[in-house]
Amino acid sequence: MTESRLDVSGGGPAAKRPRLASPGPTARLDDPLAALHERAQLGCLCPLPAAQLTALTAQLSAADSRRQLLALSTLQLLQEAALQQLRLGSMCRQLQRAVCAQRQADGPLLEALLALLASGTALLSCGAGRCLTLAALLLPPGRAQRLLEALVAAVLESERQLEVCHALNALQRLIEQHDPPESAAGGARPLPAGCAAISVGPDPETLSEIKCAITALLENRWVPVTQRFCRLLTRPAHETEVLAFLRLWTTIISVKNNLSIVETKSFYGRLEGLMSSLGGDASPHVWRAVLDLYAEVLCYGSTIALQDCVAEEPAGLAHALLRQTRAGRLLEAVPYERGVRAFAGSSSGGAGGSGGDRPLMQKTVLLVLKALAVTVKETRCESSSEASARSAGGSGSEEQDMVIIERTLREVVRRLDGWVKARLPFHPETPMSEWAVVLLCDQDDYLVEAMVCLLDLCAGLAERARVQPDFERAIDAHRSFVQFLGTVRRDHDLLLDFLISNETCFLLYLLRYLKFVRKHWARFLRACGAKLQEVMGVLIGLRISLQQLVARDLFPYNVTPILKLLERCEQLYEHNPAAG
């Protein structure tokens, strides 16, 4: 990027904007920053004299904002090149001195970047935040501590919205970082011929130490941090920084970022308080971010569904969500009508046109389904523990507990069903087990996780003889599966794609569902009705395709359990389809 190109990014019509003349080769030789920028694109600084490297820090403090932007761009190029070379195991000696030196941790470069972070200029603040993120990754964790402390202090103490927002973004990017596989450096540019290189290697503990340092710094101040942003939830002028805070919170809790429950336990404590601060005045953007945070806590398909017992924190949030839903406070506060509308002429997932924020409704429905499934799973775990602890023929307290819980679940389902049908043109008799599939069918990950929740709800209450018929239809996993096959046009190849993809938990779903079918064959027959032949045709086609791929060693993992269950269901269908 040259200075003239940098000027083009300014505001105003292109024809009227003042431009810098393109510097020729001689002018570039006279401009240390321009020369440094050119060499940064090559990833090698060897030809440059050491004195020229000091121009970068000076230009970050220049009076001309265009020069500051060019300096930030140059620094980011240098840092990204250093990270690539670090992963390759060989780095330009001059680059290592310029980017990874001790002075970045406690010298003028850090001070200049923090000043730009607080500058109040959007591009400068954003660029400084990205450079601070990269600097933390390049420095040893012990030397990056001051940098991390400065970012956390900005979040807690600064009154400048841009500084707070980009400090939050920098912390989020650091938490999200993952050690790249060895092949990740394959696209890196090789060092130019004649470049003096040294052998380097990434410290495998660097990322985990940085993440631990960030969570430790935030943990000590989490109560005042959450109190600050909860006060801003309904203030439109602070929406950007509130969204950045909610993204950071979600990232800390996310299971994808390899932080243990011990390291993140403190970050669950204020979740219910966030709900009470939300209200109907918060914008749809803030609502979606809060729902994303709650959905990450109740990560059912990827985590909770696989665990033997439910942890205290997600169980507590699930109970709070169900209380709010049953009382009508949660659903009525969701700003569905104020949200983003679909494009004109777009489908509403088979339910006719929608006059509100469809993605917001999808997130809300999935969250309530997760809360229902978590509560049933927790109850079953507690019942199993109590049953194993007491002698045979014990008290009937378990049955009484289930009656109370079932009553709560039934009321929540009734509330959710009425809320959705008041906003989308579903037939009044359509059960939740069917309309949930229609509503979520354009989001594969939402759809499959919702079907896992419905399946576990159905399985958890399947042995109870007193389940009311309307509630049984609402959570019927067989109805969901038949409706799902309709959304994929009864094409077994699409089911095969779901099994191969790692973007959803479809393997978990299909494995559990086929076991459920085998155990409750008569219920499966009743739910399929006249569509039984079509449904079994899809399952048989899937079994044939899987066997062909396995025979040619083309399937990516061991799918034998699925094949055996498909064969068993086929045997039930062929030999005695009417038997339970």
Side-chain angles (χ1 to χ4, degrees):
M1 182 186 294
T2 64
E3 280 190 271
S4 58
R5 288 179 62 188
L6 183 65
D7 189 55
V8 173
S9 67
K16 299 181 180 179
R17 234 179 2 249
R19 297 175 181 267
L20 294 175
S22 283
T26 304
R28 287 192 175 281
L29 290 175
D30 295 336
D31 185 352
L33 183 58
L36 186 59
H37 188 273
E38 284 191 350
R39 295 301 305 178
Q41 297 178 66
L42 298 176
C44 178
L45 303 182
C46 287
L48 298 179
Q52 208 162 357
L53 301 179
T54 61
L56 189 59
T57 302
Q59 291 299 320
L60 289 173
S61 305
D64 186 348
S65 61
R66 294 173 300 176
R67 300 289 292 178
Q68 290 177 307
L69 282 171
L70 182 58
L72 282 172
S73 173
T74 302
L75 178 59
Q76 186 171 340
L77 282 172
L78 291 172
Q79 291 172 322
E80 290 172 348
L83 277 176
Q84 288 182 341
Q85 293 175 22
L86 186 65
R87 292 161 185 167
L88 283 171
S90 179
M91 184 182 296
C92 168
R93 185 184 300 273
Q94 283 279 66
L95 179 62
Q96 194 273 341
R97 291 173 179 171
V99 176
C100 303
Q102 169 68 32
R103 61 178 177 271
Q104 283 206 31
D106 54 11
L109 184 57
L110 175 61
E111 298 299 334
L113 288 175
L114 291 173
L116 290 176
L117 184 71
S119 65
T121 302
L123 288 176
L124 292 176
S125 184
C126 178
R130 291 187 175 277
C131 289
L132 287 167
T133 301
L134 293 168
L137 293 172
L138 287 165
L139 291 167
R143 286 157 52 183
Q145 183 70 19
R146 182 177 171 232
L147 189 158
L148 301 177
E149 291 173 353
L151 290 174
V152 172
V155 169
L156 188 64
E157 300 167 6
S158 176
E159 297 299 326
R160 304 179 184 90
Q161 292 187 34
L162 281 174
E163 181 181 10
V164 173
C165 180
H166 292 299
L168 287 165
N169 289 339
L171 292 171
Q172 180 197 349
R173 285 191 294 267
L174 287 169
I175 294 288
E176 282 180 330
Q177 288 291 323
H178 294 277
D179 288 311
E182 293 182 3
S183 59
R189 180 185 294 110
L191 291 174
C195 180
I198 59 173
S199 296
V200 292
D203 183 353
E205 300 299 322
T206 295
L207 276 181
S208 61
E209 291 182 23
I210 287 176
K211 293 180 182 184
C212 289
I214 293 173
T215 54
L217 289 169
L218 288 172
E219 181 181 17
N220 295 331
R221 309 179 182 184
W222 193 241
V223 172
V225 168
T226 52
Q227 288 174 340
R228 172 180 182 173
F229 287 99
C230 282
R231 289 194 296 268
L232 304 177
L233 281 177
T234 58
R235 300 184 188 179
H238 296 271
E239 183 174 298
T240 302
E241 55 189 303
V242 167
L243 292 175
F245 167 69
L246 292 172
R247 286 194 299 268
L248 172 63
W249 197 349
T250 304
T251 302
I252 291 173
I253 288 176
S254 174
V255 296
K256 300 175 184 177
N257 295 313
N258 300 324
L259 290 169
S260 69
I261 189 67
V262 175
E263 294 168 322
T264 59
K265 191 175 181 66
S266 300
F267 299 95
Y268 289 87
R270 306 289 298 179
L271 289 168
E272 294 184 34
L274 180 65
M275 188 189 311
S276 61
S277 302
L278 195 57
D281 296 330
S283 77
H285 301 292
V286 172
W287 264 93
R288 280 194 289 273
V290 171
L291 293 179
D292 286 339
L293 170 61
Y294 287 164
E296 193 61 52
V297 177
L298 305 181
C299 49
Y300 197 80
S302 61
T303 306
I304 297 177
L306 302 172
Q307 295 174 339
D308 293 332
C309 294
V310 181
E312 177 184 353
E313 291 79 10
L317 177 61
H319 297 166
L321 288 169
L322 294 186
R323 286 195 302 270
Q324 295 283 337
T325 304
R326 186 182 184 188
R329 290 190 292 269
L330 174 64
L331 297 178
E332 295 308 318
V334 174
Y336 171 75
E337 287 77 11
R338 292 192 287 119
V340 179
R341 268 94 173 147
F343 288 110
S346 64
S347 169
S348 246
S354 171
D357 190 334
R358 178 182 173 83
L360 185 57
M361 175 179 281
Q362 290 174 322
K363 290 177 183 292
T364 304
V365 168
L366 179 59
L367 182 64
V368 175
L369 289 176
K370 287 183 174 186
L372 289 166
V374 166
T375 301
V376 169
K377 184 177 180 67
E378 180 199 24
T379 304
R380 294 181 69 189
C381 291
E382 291 177 351
S383 299
S384 299
S385 300
E386 292 172 3
S388 62
R390 66 173 180 257
S391 60
S395 69
S397 61
E398 177 186 339
E399 178 66 19
Q400 295 173 0
D401 291 344
M402 286 303 300
V403 169
I404 297 172
I405 291 169
E406 183 190 328
R407 187 184 306 130
T408 299
L409 301 183
R410 190 168 63 247
E411 178 63 19
V412 169
V413 168
R414 187 188 68 80
R415 288 273 190 178
L416 182 62
D417 185 78
W419 182 73
V420 170
K421 289 176 179 174
R423 288 156 180 81
L424 293 179
F426 287 109
H427 191 280
E429 297 301 319
T430 304
M432 181 182 72
S433 55
E434 295 179 4
W435 65 245
V437 175
V438 176
L439 176 65
L440 302 173
C441 66
D442 60 345
Q443 300 291 331
D444 290 346
D445 51 345
Y446 287 12
L447 171 60
V448 176
E449 188 168 23
M451 291 196 300
V452 172
C453 292
L454 286 167
L455 174 59
D456 284 3
L457 270 172
C458 187
L461 301 172
E463 306 300 334
R464 290 180 49 76
R466 300 179 184 177
V467 176
Q468 294 190 2
D470 59 337
F471 183 52
E472 184 177 1
R473 291 174 66 244
I475 62 172
D476 191 343
H478 299 306
R479 290 177 178 270
S480 295
F481 183 70
V482 173
Q483 185 66 53
F484 167 68
L485 292 185
T487 65
V488 298
R489 302 183 299 278
R490 290 176 287 281
D491 185 349
H492 68 269
D493 286 335
L494 291 179
L495 269 64
L496 192 63
D497 291 341
F498 272 103
L499 279 175
I500 293 174
S501 171
N502 61 357
E503 296 178 359
T504 70
C505 53
F506 189 74
L507 172 62
L508 170 68
Y509 168 74
L510 188 60
L511 186 65
R512 289 190 175 181
Y513 178 68
L514 292 175
K515 290 179 179 179
F516 189 68
V517 169
R518 181 186 61 184
K519 186 175 182 180
H520 301 279
W521 180 252
R523 292 181 60 176
F524 173 71
L525 294 178
R526 290 196 300 271
C528 290
K531 298 179 181 179
L532 177 61
Q533 186 174 354
E534 294 178 351
V535 171
M536 289 306 304
V538 175
L539 295 178
I540 292 170
L542 177 62
R543 190 263 303 164
I544 294 172
S545 295
L546 284 173
Q547 286 179 334
Q548 290 173 345
L549 290 172
V550 170
R552 295 157 60 187
D553 199 23
L554 294 178
F555 206 77
Y557 56 84
N558 181 10
V559 76
T560 302
I562 294 287
L563 277 172
K564 289 183 177 179
L565 287 167
L566 287 170
E567 290 168 355
R568 178 56 182 155
C569 291
E570 191 173 344
Q571 290 169 2
L572 288 171
Y573 172 64
E574 291 178 346
H575 296 119
N576 195 9

